[in-house]
Amino acid sequence: MTTAAAPKAPQHPKIGKLAPAFSLLDQNGAKVSLKDYKGKAAVVLYFYPKAMTPGCTVQACGLRDTKAELEKLGAVAIGMSPDPFARLAKFEDKHDLNFTLLSDEDHAVADKYGVWGLKKFMGKEFMGLIRTTFIISKEGKLVRIMDKFKTKTHHDDVIAALTELNN
C-alpha cells in the first residue's frame, strides 16, 4: 500500500536573485509586468488572500495612507491576490486605494514566489495564499522577504525595511 506524498512546503525565491517575472491584469483590466518598474522604482509586492476581508482591507489601507512615504523611499506598492480583477476594482473603489492591484486567479505567480501552500483555519486545512511581502530593487533583484507581520502595522514594517535598505 502506498501513501500519498505530503505536499511540499513552498519555497521562496532567493534573496539577491532576480525576482520571478510576471505579467497580470490589474484592477482596471490593464496588463502590468514587473519589468515595467525596472530602473524606475523598487517594488513592494505584497500577496494577500482575499480582497475586502478585514485583514486584507487593513493592510491595503495602511499602504494607501503611506503612499507618499513609499514614493520618497523610491518604491511603489503592488498588491496581488487570487481575486478576479472585477473584485479588485470594487476593492480599490470602496477603499480609495491608490496603487496597483493584480489578479493572480490561477495562482501561477504565487506559486513562483512560494506563497501558495497549505493553510489551517478553524481546524480545517486547505491550499491558499500565504500572506507575504517581497521587496524588489529597481534592478529587479529580491532584497527582502517579509512573512511575519501584523496587518495593522504592515505599512510601518515596509517603511522600516525600505529605510534600512536605502541606508
Side-chain angles (χ1 to χ4, degrees):
M1 181 178 197
T2 59
T3 57
K8 279 189 351 187
Q11 294 291 314
H12 295 307
K14 302 275 184 253
I15 299 277
K17 300 285 185 192
L18 284 178
F22 58 80
S23 288
L24 294 170
L25 296 180
D26 71 5
Q27 68 268 36
N28 304 310
K31 190 168 136 184
V32 174
S33 301
L34 180 60
K35 67 182 179 192
D36 298 342
Y37 298 92
K38 195 165 185 177
K40 297 176 187 166
V43 173
V44 175
L45 177 62
Y46 83 99
F47 289 86
Y48 62 98
K50 190 169 182 161
M52 292 191 273
T53 57
C56 296
T57 298
V58 164
Q59 187 177 17
C61 290
L63 288 169
R64 173 199 66 201
D65 296 345
T66 55
K67 182 178 183 179
E69 288 176 75
L70 290 172
E71 288 175 349
K72 281 181 197 165
L73 292 164
V76 297
I78 298 177
M80 190 177 298
S81 75
D83 295 301
F85 75 87
R87 183 176 174 93
L88 298 178
K90 289 178 190 167
F91 189 40
E92 173 194 41
D93 207 37
K94 184 174 182 178
H95 299 288
D96 295 318
L97 301 179
N98 53 12
F99 56 89
T100 301
L101 300 172
L102 296 178
S103 173
D104 185 25
E105 284 189 84
D106 63 1
H107 59 82
V109 177
D111 284 335
K112 284 185 191 179
Y113 279 82
V115 298
W116 188 263
L118 193 63
K119 295 177 70 165
K120 293 178 186 178
F121 182 68
M122 295 179 67
K124 294 186 179 180
E125 288 188 348
F126 59 96
M127 295 300 287
L129 195 120
I130 300 162
R131 192 183 303 274
T132 311
T133 298
F134 297 85
I135 299 179
I136 301 164
S137 72
K138 284 183 186 179
E139 296 76 34
K141 290 187 177 181
L142 186 59
V143 292
R144 181 73 52 97
I145 300 172
M146 300 167 59
D147 57 3
K148 303 270 190 278
F149 54 82
K150 291 180 171 63
T151 55
K152 284 182 181 177
T153 57
H154 174 251
H155 57 284
D156 293 327
D157 297 339
V158 166
I159 298 290
L162 286 167
T163 300
E164 181 185 314
L165 288 165
N166 283 344
N167 288 332

